[in-house]
Amino acid sequence: MDSFVYQYPVKQYFGKGCAEEAIKKELKTIGRNVLLAYGGGSLKRTGLYEKLRTWLEEAGKQVTDFGGIMPNPTYNKVQEGAALVRKHKIDFILAAGGGSVLDCCKIVSAQAKLEEDIWDMQYAKHLYAKEFVPMGAVVTASGTGAEQNNGAVITHEEKKLKQALFGAYYSFAVLDSDLTKTLPMKQVISGAFDTLSHCMETYMGRPQETNLSDEINEAIMRNVIKNLRSLIKNPDDDFARGELMWASAIAENGMLKLGKQTDFQCHMIEHAVGAYTDCNHGQGLAVIHPALYRHLLDSGKEKLARMAETVWRVKGTTPEETAMRGIETLEAFIREIGLPTHWSEMGSTDETVLRAAASTSIIMPGCCRQFSRDEIFEILKERV
Ligand code: NZQ
Ligand code: ZN
């Protein structure tokens, strides 16, 4: 196992029905001016907005709304949030939503304290923000694990790039599975598949030898597959819903990444497609993963074979055949849970978009083979 330093700043409140007590407790410790951040409408429809506002006002807070954060949040939305933080002298950001709301706020929190443009600062000068407005996360859609890390995926519409920016960690995360009960099943599934993808992308990194993090990862992957099947069968299965929420958190809290370099090539390709199509993240990953892994049957064979045996419980007569059977089982699972396997199922088959995405995707050093841009285009085209 490679050497590492591990320090973790996010306090976790986990449990069905834990939100009210957790949030009221945390509100006692924060400043007066609070930015309440949320998405396009679900928070008001579910009644959680009213509750949060009441709890904030009862705690004596001056609340400023920052609503309308869209799925795949844009850089312009980040700037809007940062301007609100400055204007209203915000002391604390309370973000309630899925990965999009949580990501947007991480960068709002950094941009509000900066004179310069955070995108240019990171990508042109390779400098990272050091000061942040403190934040808390109330998770209403699990899967991305965005509440656990300081990376955010932001779409820069003018530049046609969907890429990572680094901001603040949340000081606390509320993981109350009851808050996800209003999430449409389609989104539950794409979120859980995102968790599975995070696990696979971590597992498939370098070196390929299996360390303790990978063995824990195998258990998480089996858990996600099992509990997603249970939840699809019975959306009232609170146990499965809670397990998926915690699996999502563990996949992104750094634990599985210890002692190795992660891969995340599939994510980088999906993000590049997303910059052009605004597609659903989990669905895009489902389309790309099996095709990508078929292209790794040479250099990633041993690890793919181990994943086939320990996670999917399938075996062939050679490592290559075992790896292949694992990929087939992954693809069958994607179909079973109703996710797409081709771009046409997502309404986008434009090859010029796929070529543009292949030309702008980040090439990951942690992937067991470095793809050329032509091969990334091949992978994307195979799934038209
Ligand atoms: O906008 P509203 O009206 O709130 O509706 C949202 C949105 O339409 C809805 N929703 C959320 N909670 C709900 C709910 N609807 C009913 N009841 C609830 N309780 O769900 C829709 C999708 O929300 P979104 O936040 O976009 O989904 P998700 O959590 O999948 O986040 C996707 C974003 O996270 C990024 C993705 O790239 C994408 O931009 N990711 C962030 C990561 C990170 N920071 O670590 C890692 C991931 O790999 C991922 O890239
Ligand atoms: Zn993801």
Side-chain angles (χ1 to χ4, degrees), residues 326-348:
I327 297 167
E328 283 162 7
T329 314
L330 166 65
E331 192 160 7
F333 178 70
I334 289 168
R335 287 208 184 87
E336 173 196 328
I337 61 179
L339 284 176
T341 54
H342 289 82
W343 299 116
S344 55
E345 296 168 69
M346 295 171 68
S348 152

mmCIF file with all atom_site columns, all heavy atoms in Angstrom, residues 326-348:
data_model
loop_
_atom_site.group_PDB
_atom_site.id
_atom_site.type_symbol
_atom_site.label_atom_id
_atom_site.label_alt_id
_atom_site.label_comp_id
_atom_site.label_asym_id
_atom_site.label_entity_id
_atom_site.label_seq_id
_atom_site.pdbx_PDB_ins_code
_atom_site.Cartn_x
_atom_site.Cartn_y
_atom_site.Cartn_z
_atom_site.occupancy
_atom_site.B_iso_or_equiv
_atom_site.pdbx_formal_charge
_atom_site.auth_seq_id
_atom_site.auth_comp_id
_atom_site.auth_asym_id
_atom_site.auth_atom_id
_atom_site.pdbx_PDB_model_num
ATOM 1   N N   . GLY A 1 326 ? -17.386 -10.484 -16.226 1.00 0.00 ? 326 GLY A N   1
ATOM 2   C CA  . GLY A 1 326 ? -17.701 -9.414  -15.267 1.00 0.00 ? 326 GLY A CA  1
ATOM 3   C C   . GLY A 1 326 ? -18.289 -8.196  -15.975 1.00 0.00 ? 326 GLY A C   1
ATOM 4   O O   . GLY A 1 326 ? -19.269 -7.606  -15.508 1.00 0.00 ? 326 GLY A O   1
ATOM 5   N N   . ILE A 1 327 ? -17.679 -7.834  -17.105 1.00 0.00 ? 327 ILE A N   1
ATOM 6   C CA  . ILE A 1 327 ? -18.172 -6.662  -17.850 1.00 0.00 ? 327 ILE A CA  1
ATOM 7   C C   . ILE A 1 327 ? -19.581 -6.948  -18.387 1.00 0.00 ? 327 ILE A C   1
ATOM 8   O O   . ILE A 1 327 ? -20.463 -6.075  -18.333 1.00 0.00 ? 327 ILE A O   1
ATOM 9   C CB  . ILE A 1 327 ? -17.204 -6.304  -19.004 1.00 0.00 ? 327 ILE A CB  1
ATOM 10  C CG1 . ILE A 1 327 ? -15.835 -5.911  -18.444 1.00 0.00 ? 327 ILE A CG1 1
ATOM 11  C CG2 . ILE A 1 327 ? -17.773 -5.169  -19.850 1.00 0.00 ? 327 ILE A CG2 1
ATOM 12  C CD1 . ILE A 1 327 ? -14.717 -5.843  -19.488 1.00 0.00 ? 327 ILE A CD1 1
ATOM 13  N N   . GLU A 1 328 ? -19.788 -8.177  -18.863 1.00 0.00 ? 328 GLU A N   1
ATOM 14  C CA  . GLU A 1 328 ? -21.133 -8.530  -19.361 1.00 0.00 ? 328 GLU A CA  1
ATOM 15  C C   . GLU A 1 328 ? -22.160 -8.462  -18.230 1.00 0.00 ? 328 GLU A C   1
ATOM 16  O O   . GLU A 1 328 ? -23.303 -8.018  -18.424 1.00 0.00 ? 328 GLU A O   1
ATOM 17  C CB  . GLU A 1 328 ? -21.120 -9.938  -19.958 1.00 0.00 ? 328 GLU A CB  1
ATOM 18  C CG  . GLU A 1 328 ? -20.481 -9.985  -21.346 1.00 0.00 ? 328 GLU A CG  1
ATOM 19  C CD  . GLU A 1 328 ? -20.060 -11.397 -21.759 1.00 0.00 ? 328 GLU A CD  1
ATOM 20  O OE1 . GLU A 1 328 ? -20.379 -12.360 -21.028 1.00 0.00 ? 328 GLU A OE1 1
ATOM 21  O OE2 . GLU A 1 328 ? -19.407 -11.511 -22.799 1.00 0.00 ? 328 GLU A OE2 1
ATOM 22  N N   . THR A 1 329 ? -21.742 -8.899  -17.039 1.00 0.00 ? 329 THR A N   1
ATOM 23  C CA  . THR A 1 329 ? -22.676 -8.878  -15.903 1.00 0.00 ? 329 THR A CA  1
ATOM 24  C C   . THR A 1 329 ? -22.976 -7.442  -15.477 1.00 0.00 ? 329 THR A C   1
ATOM 25  O O   . THR A 1 329 ? -24.110 -7.106  -15.126 1.00 0.00 ? 329 THR A O   1
ATOM 26  C CB  . THR A 1 329 ? -22.107 -9.694  -14.720 1.00 0.00 ? 329 THR A CB  1
ATOM 27  O OG1 . THR A 1 329 ? -21.617 -10.921 -15.229 1.00 0.00 ? 329 THR A OG1 1
ATOM 28  C CG2 . THR A 1 329 ? -23.161 -9.989  -13.677 1.00 0.00 ? 329 THR A CG2 1
ATOM 29  N N   . LEU A 1 330 ? -21.957 -6.597  -15.529 1.00 0.00 ? 330 LEU A N   1
ATOM 30  C CA  . LEU A 1 330 ? -22.166 -5.169  -15.237 1.00 0.00 ? 330 LEU A CA  1
ATOM 31  C C   . LEU A 1 330 ? -23.178 -4.584  -16.226 1.00 0.00 ? 330 LEU A C   1
ATOM 32  O O   . LEU A 1 330 ? -24.119 -3.880  -15.829 1.00 0.00 ? 330 LEU A O   1
ATOM 33  C CB  . LEU A 1 330 ? -20.831 -4.418  -15.334 1.00 0.00 ? 330 LEU A CB  1
ATOM 34  C CG  . LEU A 1 330 ? -20.878 -2.887  -15.390 1.00 0.00 ? 330 LEU A CG  1
ATOM 35  C CD1 . LEU A 1 330 ? -21.424 -2.310  -14.077 1.00 0.00 ? 330 LEU A CD1 1
ATOM 36  C CD2 . LEU A 1 330 ? -19.486 -2.291  -15.665 1.00 0.00 ? 330 LEU A CD2 1
ATOM 37  N N   . GLU A 1 331 ? -23.010 -4.915  -17.481 1.00 0.00 ? 331 GLU A N   1
ATOM 38  C CA  . GLU A 1 331 ? -23.919 -4.375  -18.496 1.00 0.00 ? 331 GLU A CA  1
ATOM 39  C C   . GLU A 1 331 ? -25.350 -4.908  -18.309 1.00 0.00 ? 331 GLU A C   1
ATOM 40  O O   . GLU A 1 331 ? -26.319 -4.159  -18.453 1.00 0.00 ? 331 GLU A O   1
ATOM 41  C CB  . GLU A 1 331 ? -23.397 -4.721  -19.899 1.00 0.00 ? 331 GLU A CB  1
ATOM 42  C CG  . GLU A 1 331 ? -24.114 -3.951  -20.972 1.00 0.00 ? 331 GLU A CG  1
ATOM 43  C CD  . GLU A 1 331 ? -23.336 -3.893  -22.285 1.00 0.00 ? 331 GLU A CD  1
ATOM 44  O OE1 . GLU A 1 331 ? -22.289 -4.570  -22.407 1.00 0.00 ? 331 GLU A OE1 1
ATOM 45  O OE2 . GLU A 1 331 ? -23.795 -3.188  -23.187 1.00 0.00 ? 331 GLU A OE2 1
ATOM 46  N N   . ALA A 1 332 ? -25.450 -6.176  -17.946 1.00 0.00 ? 332 ALA A N   1
ATOM 47  C CA  . ALA A 1 332 ? -26.787 -6.758  -17.703 1.00 0.00 ? 332 ALA A CA  1
ATOM 48  C C   . ALA A 1 332 ? -27.440 -6.064  -16.503 1.00 0.00 ? 332 ALA A C   1
ATOM 49  O O   . ALA A 1 332 ? -28.652 -5.806  -16.498 1.00 0.00 ? 332 ALA A O   1
ATOM 50  C CB  . ALA A 1 332 ? -26.658 -8.256  -17.455 1.00 0.00 ? 332 ALA A CB  1
ATOM 51  N N   . PHE A 1 333 ? -26.614 -5.736  -15.489 1.00 0.00 ? 333 PHE A N   1
ATOM 52  C CA  . PHE A 1 333 ? -27.142 -5.036  -14.312 1.00 0.00 ? 333 PHE A CA  1
ATOM 53  C C   . PHE A 1 333 ? -27.648 -3.641  -14.704 1.00 0.00 ? 333 PHE A C   1
ATOM 54  O O   . PHE A 1 333 ? -28.717 -3.213  -14.258 1.00 0.00 ? 333 PHE A O   1
ATOM 55  C CB  . PHE A 1 333 ? -26.041 -4.941  -13.239 1.00 0.00 ? 333 PHE A CB  1
ATOM 56  C CG  . PHE A 1 333 ? -26.452 -4.192  -11.999 1.00 0.00 ? 333 PHE A CG  1
ATOM 57  C CD1 . PHE A 1 333 ? -27.378 -4.739  -11.109 1.00 0.00 ? 333 PHE A CD1 1
ATOM 58  C CD2 . PHE A 1 333 ? -25.912 -2.942  -11.701 1.00 0.00 ? 333 PHE A CD2 1
ATOM 59  C CE1 . PHE A 1 333 ? -27.757 -4.049  -9.951  1.00 0.00 ? 333 PHE A CE1 1
ATOM 60  C CE2 . PHE A 1 333 ? -26.283 -2.251  -10.555 1.00 0.00 ? 333 PHE A CE2 1
ATOM 61  C CZ  . PHE A 1 333 ? -27.210 -2.801  -9.683  1.00 0.00 ? 333 PHE A CZ  1
ATOM 62  N N   . ILE A 1 334 ? -26.895 -2.973  -15.548 1.00 0.00 ? 334 ILE A N   1
ATOM 63  C CA  . ILE A 1 334 ? -27.305 -1.631  -15.997 1.00 0.00 ? 334 ILE A CA  1
ATOM 64  C C   . ILE A 1 334 ? -28.683 -1.721  -16.677 1.00 0.00 ? 334 ILE A C   1
ATOM 65  O O   . ILE A 1 334 ? -29.569 -0.901  -16.423 1.00 0.00 ? 334 ILE A O   1
ATOM 66  C CB  . ILE A 1 334 ? -26.230 -1.036  -16.945 1.00 0.00 ? 334 ILE A CB  1
ATOM 67  C CG1 . ILE A 1 334 ? -24.974 -0.680  -16.141 1.00 0.00 ? 334 ILE A CG1 1
ATOM 68  C CG2 . ILE A 1 334 ? -26.759 0.183   -17.694 1.00 0.00 ? 334 ILE A CG2 1
ATOM 69  C CD1 . ILE A 1 334 ? -23.739 -0.348  -16.981 1.00 0.00 ? 334 ILE A CD1 1
ATOM 70  N N   . ARG A 1 335 ? -28.853 -2.746  -17.509 1.00 0.00 ? 335 ARG A N   1
ATOM 71  C CA  . ARG A 1 335 ? -30.162 -2.908  -18.185 1.00 0.00 ? 335 ARG A CA  1
ATOM 72  C C   . ARG A 1 335 ? -31.243 -3.257  -17.175 1.00 0.00 ? 335 ARG A C   1
ATOM 73  O O   . ARG A 1 335 ? -32.347 -2.726  -17.214 1.00 0.00 ? 335 ARG A O   1
ATOM 74  C CB  . ARG A 1 335 ? -30.075 -4.031  -19.231 1.00 0.00 ? 335 ARG A CB  1
ATOM 75  C CG  . ARG A 1 335 ? -29.290 -3.627  -20.443 1.00 0.00 ? 335 ARG A CG  1
ATOM 76  C CD  . ARG A 1 335 ? -29.755 -4.395  -21.697 1.00 0.00 ? 335 ARG A CD  1
ATOM 77  N NE  . ARG A 1 335 ? -28.903 -4.047  -22.813 1.00 0.00 ? 335 ARG A NE  1
ATOM 78  C CZ  . ARG A 1 335 ? -27.760 -4.670  -23.093 1.00 0.00 ? 335 ARG A CZ  1
ATOM 79  N NH1 . ARG A 1 335 ? -27.350 -5.688  -22.365 1.00 0.00 ? 335 ARG A NH1 1
ATOM 80  N NH2 . ARG A 1 335 ? -27.029 -4.286  -24.115 1.00 0.00 ? 335 ARG A NH2 1
ATOM 81  N N   . GLU A 1 336 ? -30.889 -4.172  -16.248 1.00 0.00 ? 336 GLU A N   1
ATOM 82  C CA  . GLU A 1 336 ? -31.870 -4.632  -15.233 1.00 0.00 ? 336 GLU A CA  1
ATOM 83  C C   . GLU A 1 336 ? -32.432 -3.453  -14.436 1.00 0.00 ? 336 GLU A C   1
ATOM 84  O O   . GLU A 1 336 ? -33.639 -3.398  -14.176 1.00 0.00 ? 336 GLU A O   1
ATOM 85  C CB  . GLU A 1 336 ? -31.164 -5.627  -14.287 1.00 0.00 ? 336 GLU A CB  1
ATOM 86  C CG  . GLU A 1 336 ? -31.992 -6.058  -13.076 1.00 0.00 ? 336 GLU A CG  1
ATOM 87  C CD  . GLU A 1 336 ? -31.117 -6.704  -12.001 1.00 0.00 ? 336 GLU A CD  1
ATOM 88  O OE1 . GLU A 1 336 ? -30.096 -7.362  -12.315 1.00 0.00 ? 336 GLU A OE1 1
ATOM 89  O OE2 . GLU A 1 336 ? -31.474 -6.534  -10.806 1.00 0.00 ? 336 GLU A OE2 1
ATOM 90  N N   . ILE A 1 337 ? -31.574 -2.493  -14.075 1.00 0.00 ? 337 ILE A N   1
ATOM 91  C CA  . ILE A 1 337 ? -32.056 -1.378  -13.237 1.00 0.00 ? 337 ILE A CA  1
ATOM 92  C C   . ILE A 1 337 ? -32.621 -0.231  -14.083 1.00 0.00 ? 337 ILE A C   1
ATOM 93  O O   . ILE A 1 337 ? -33.004 0.808   -13.548 1.00 0.00 ? 337 ILE A O   1
ATOM 94  C CB  . ILE A 1 337 ? -30.961 -0.867  -12.266 1.00 0.00 ? 337 ILE A CB  1
ATOM 95  C CG1 . ILE A 1 337 ? -29.732 -0.343  -13.035 1.00 0.00 ? 337 ILE A CG1 1
ATOM 96  C CG2 . ILE A 1 337 ? -30.556 -1.964  -11.280 1.00 0.00 ? 337 ILE A CG2 1
ATOM 97  C CD1 . ILE A 1 337 ? -28.618 0.214   -12.135 1.00 0.00 ? 337 ILE A CD1 1
ATOM 98  N N   . GLY A 1 338 ? -32.642 -0.434  -15.380 1.00 0.00 ? 338 GLY A N   1
ATOM 99  C CA  . GLY A 1 338 ? -33.330 0.527   -16.251 1.00 0.00 ? 338 GLY A CA  1
ATOM 100 C C   . GLY A 1 338 ? -32.500 1.723   -16.673 1.00 0.00 ? 338 GLY A C   1
ATOM 101 O O   . GLY A 1 338 ? -33.049 2.750   -17.085 1.00 0.00 ? 338 GLY A O   1
ATOM 102 N N   . LEU A 1 339 ? -31.177 1.607   -16.575 1.00 0.00 ? 339 LEU A N   1
ATOM 103 C CA  . LEU A 1 339 ? -30.324 2.706   -17.043 1.00 0.00 ? 339 LEU A CA  1
ATOM 104 C C   . LEU A 1 339 ? -29.986 2.493   -18.518 1.00 0.00 ? 339 LEU A C   1
ATOM 105 O O   . LEU A 1 339 ? -30.003 1.368   -19.004 1.00 0.00 ? 339 LEU A O   1
ATOM 106 C CB  . LEU A 1 339 ? -29.035 2.774   -16.206 1.00 0.00 ? 339 LEU A CB  1
ATOM 107 C CG  . LEU A 1 339 ? -29.182 3.372   -14.807 1.00 0.00 ? 339 LEU A CG  1
ATOM 108 C CD1 . LEU A 1 339 ? -27.858 3.295   -14.054 1.00 0.00 ? 339 LEU A CD1 1
ATOM 109 C CD2 . LEU A 1 339 ? -29.658 4.820   -14.862 1.00 0.00 ? 339 LEU A CD2 1
ATOM 110 N N   . PRO A 1 340 ? -29.643 3.558   -19.214 1.00 0.00 ? 340 PRO A N   1
ATOM 111 C CA  . PRO A 1 340 ? -29.330 3.416   -20.643 1.00 0.00 ? 340 PRO A CA  1
ATOM 112 C C   . PRO A 1 340 ? -27.969 2.775   -20.881 1.00 0.00 ? 340 PRO A C   1
ATOM 113 O O   . PRO A 1 340 ? -27.073 2.872   -20.041 1.00 0.00 ? 340 PRO A O   1
ATOM 114 C CB  . PRO A 1 340 ? -29.317 4.867   -21.141 1.00 0.00 ? 340 PRO A CB  1
ATOM 115 C CG  . PRO A 1 340 ? -29.013 5.679   -19.934 1.00 0.00 ? 340 PRO A CG  1
ATOM 116 C CD  . PRO A 1 340 ? -29.576 4.954   -18.755 1.00 0.00 ? 340 PRO A CD  1
ATOM 117 N N   . THR A 1 341 ? -27.835 2.134   -22.031 1.00 0.00 ? 341 THR A N   1
ATOM 118 C CA  . THR A 1 341 ? -26.521 1.605   -22.426 1.00 0.00 ? 341 THR A CA  1
ATOM 119 C C   . THR A 1 341 ? -26.034 2.269   -23.721 1.00 0.00 ? 341 THR A C   1
ATOM 120 O O   . THR A 1 341 ? -24.924 1.993   -24.160 1.00 0.00 ? 341 THR A O   1
ATOM 121 C CB  . THR A 1 341 ? -26.572 0.079   -22.626 1.00 0.00 ? 341 THR A CB  1
ATOM 122 O OG1 . THR A 1 341 ? -27.617 -0.216  -23.552 1.00 0.00 ? 341 THR A OG1 1
ATOM 123 C CG2 . THR A 1 341 ? -26.812 -0.661  -21.333 1.00 0.00 ? 341 THR A CG2 1
ATOM 124 N N   . HIS A 1 342 ? -26.889 3.095   -24.316 1.00 0.00 ? 342 HIS A N   1
ATOM 125 C CA  . HIS A 1 342 ? -26.517 3.791   -25.560 1.00 0.00 ? 342 HIS A CA  1
ATOM 126 C C   . HIS A 1 342 ? -26.976 5.249   -25.499 1.00 0.00 ? 342 HIS A C   1
ATOM 127 O O   . HIS A 1 342 ? -27.992 5.573   -24.885 1.00 0.00 ? 342 HIS A O   1
ATOM 128 C CB  . HIS A 1 342 ? -27.131 3.096   -26.785 1.00 0.00 ? 342 HIS A CB  1
ATOM 129 C CG  . HIS A 1 342 ? -26.484 1.777   -27.056 1.00 0.00 ? 342 HIS A CG  1
ATOM 130 N ND1 . HIS A 1 342 ? -26.822 0.628   -26.387 1.00 0.00 ? 342 HIS A ND1 1
ATOM 131 C CD2 . HIS A 1 342 ? -25.492 1.442   -27.921 1.00 0.00 ? 342 HIS A CD2 1
ATOM 132 C CE1 . HIS A 1 342 ? -26.058 -0.368  -26.801 1.00 0.00 ? 342 HIS A CE1 1
ATOM 133 N NE2 . HIS A 1 342 ? -25.236 0.088   -27.735 1.00 0.00 ? 342 HIS A NE2 1
ATOM 134 N N   . TRP A 1 343 ? -26.232 6.119   -26.207 1.00 0.00 ? 343 TRP A N   1
ATOM 135 C CA  . TRP A 1 343 ? -26.578 7.541   -26.226 1.00 0.00 ? 343 TRP A CA  1
ATOM 136 C C   . TRP A 1 343 ? -27.963 7.762   -26.817 1.00 0.00 ? 343 TRP A C   1
ATOM 137 O O   . TRP A 1 343 ? -28.668 8.696   -26.427 1.00 0.00 ? 343 TRP A O   1
ATOM 138 C CB  . TRP A 1 343 ? -25.553 8.352   -27.025 1.00 0.00 ? 343 TRP A CB  1
ATOM 139 C CG  . TRP A 1 343 ? -24.182 8.277   -26.446 1.00 0.00 ? 343 TRP A CG  1
ATOM 140 C CD1 . TRP A 1 343 ? -23.078 7.721   -27.041 1.00 0.00 ? 343 TRP A CD1 1
ATOM 141 C CD2 . TRP A 1 343 ? -23.753 8.726   -25.153 1.00 0.00 ? 343 TRP A CD2 1
ATOM 142 N NE1 . TRP A 1 343 ? -21.994 7.810   -26.199 1.00 0.00 ? 343 TRP A NE1 1
ATOM 143 C CE2 . TRP A 1 343 ? -22.381 8.422   -25.047 1.00 0.00 ? 343 TRP A CE2 1
ATOM 144 C CE3 . TRP A 1 343 ? -24.386 9.358   -24.081 1.00 0.00 ? 343 TRP A CE3 1
ATOM 145 C CZ2 . TRP A 1 343 ? -21.638 8.724   -23.901 1.00 0.00 ? 343 TRP A CZ2 1
ATOM 146 C CZ3 . TRP A 1 343 ? -23.655 9.655   -22.949 1.00 0.00 ? 343 TRP A CZ3 1
ATOM 147 C CH2 . TRP A 1 343 ? -22.300 9.343   -22.862 1.00 0.00 ? 343 TRP A CH2 1
ATOM 148 N N   . SER A 1 344 ? -28.351 6.917   -27.778 1.00 0.00 ? 344 SER A N   1
ATOM 149 C CA  . SER A 1 344 ? -29.658 7.105   -28.419 1.00 0.00 ? 344 SER A CA  1
ATOM 150 C C   . SER A 1 344 ? -30.790 7.045   -27.388 1.00 0.00 ? 344 SER A C   1
ATOM 151 O O   . SER A 1 344 ? -31.798 7.738   -27.527 1.00 0.00 ? 344 SER A O   1
ATOM 152 C CB  . SER A 1 344 ? -29.871 6.048   -29.501 1.00 0.00 ? 344 SER A CB  1
ATOM 153 O OG  . SER A 1 344 ? -29.701 4.769   -28.944 1.00 0.00 ? 344 SER A OG  1
ATOM 154 N N   . GLU A 1 345 ? -30.587 6.241   -26.325 1.00 0.00 ? 345 GLU A N   1
ATOM 155 C CA  . GLU A 1 345 ? -31.621 6.158   -25.279 1.00 0.00 ? 345 GLU A CA  1
ATOM 156 C C   . GLU A 1 345 ? -31.695 7.455   -24.475 1.00 0.00 ? 345 GLU A C   1
ATOM 157 O O   . GLU A 1 345 ? -32.657 7.698   -23.748 1.00 0.00 ? 345 GLU A O   1
ATOM 158 C CB  . GLU A 1 345 ? -31.327 4.995   -24.326 1.00 0.00 ? 345 GLU A CB  1
ATOM 159 C CG  . GLU A 1 345 ? -31.383 3.638   -24.972 1.00 0.00 ? 345 GLU A CG  1
ATOM 160 C CD  . GLU A 1 345 ? -30.788 2.573   -24.059 1.00 0.00 ? 345 GLU A CD  1
ATOM 161 O OE1 . GLU A 1 345 ? -31.395 2.276   -23.020 1.00 0.00 ? 345 GLU A OE1 1
ATOM 162 O OE2 . GLU A 1 345 ? -29.715 2.043   -24.392 1.00 0.00 ? 345 GLU A OE2 1
ATOM 163 N N   . MET A 1 346 ? -30.663 8.283   -24.582 1.00 0.00 ? 346 MET A N   1
ATOM 164 C CA  . MET A 1 346 ? -30.652 9.552   -23.850 1.00 0.00 ? 346 MET A CA  1
ATOM 165 C C   . MET A 1 346 ? -30.947 10.723  -24.786 1.00 0.00 ? 346 MET A C   1
ATOM 166 O O   . MET A 1 346 ? -30.805 11.882  -24.391 1.00 0.00 ? 346 MET A O   1
ATOM 167 C CB  . MET A 1 346 ? -29.304 9.758   -23.168 1.00 0.00 ? 346 MET A CB  1
ATOM 168 C CG  . MET A 1 346 ? -29.044 8.718   -22.095 1.00 0.00 ? 346 MET A CG  1
ATOM 169 S SD  . MET A 1 346 ? -27.363 8.787   -21.466 1.00 0.00 ? 346 MET A SD  1
ATOM 170 C CE  . MET A 1 346 ? -27.371 10.355  -20.625 1.00 0.00 ? 346 MET A CE  1
ATOM 171 N N   . GLY A 1 347 ? -31.293 10.385  -26.022 1.00 0.00 ? 347 GLY A N   1
ATOM 172 C CA  . GLY A 1 347 ? -31.694 11.424  -26.970 1.00 0.00 ? 347 GLY A CA  1
ATOM 173 C C   . GLY A 1 347 ? -30.548 12.171  -27.611 1.00 0.00 ? 347 GLY A C   1
ATOM 174 O O   . GLY A 1 347 ? -30.741 13.236  -28.179 1.00 0.00 ? 347 GLY A O   1
ATOM 175 N N   . SER A 1 348 ? -29.327 11.641  -27.520 1.00 0.00 ? 348 SER A N   1
ATOM 176 C CA  . SER A 1 348 ? -28.212 12.376  -28.117 1.00 0.00 ? 348 SER A CA  1
ATOM 177 C C   . SER A 1 348 ? -27.285 11.417  -28.857 1.00 0.00 ? 348 SER A C   1
ATOM 178 O O   . SER A 1 348 ? -26.660 10.558  -28.233 1.00 0.00 ? 348 SER A O   1
ATOM 179 C CB  . SER A 1 348 ? -27.444 13.095  -27.009 1.00 0.00 ? 348 SER A CB  1
ATOM 180 O OG  . SER A 1 348 ? -26.101 13.263  -27.360 1.00 0.00 ? 348 SER A OG  1
#
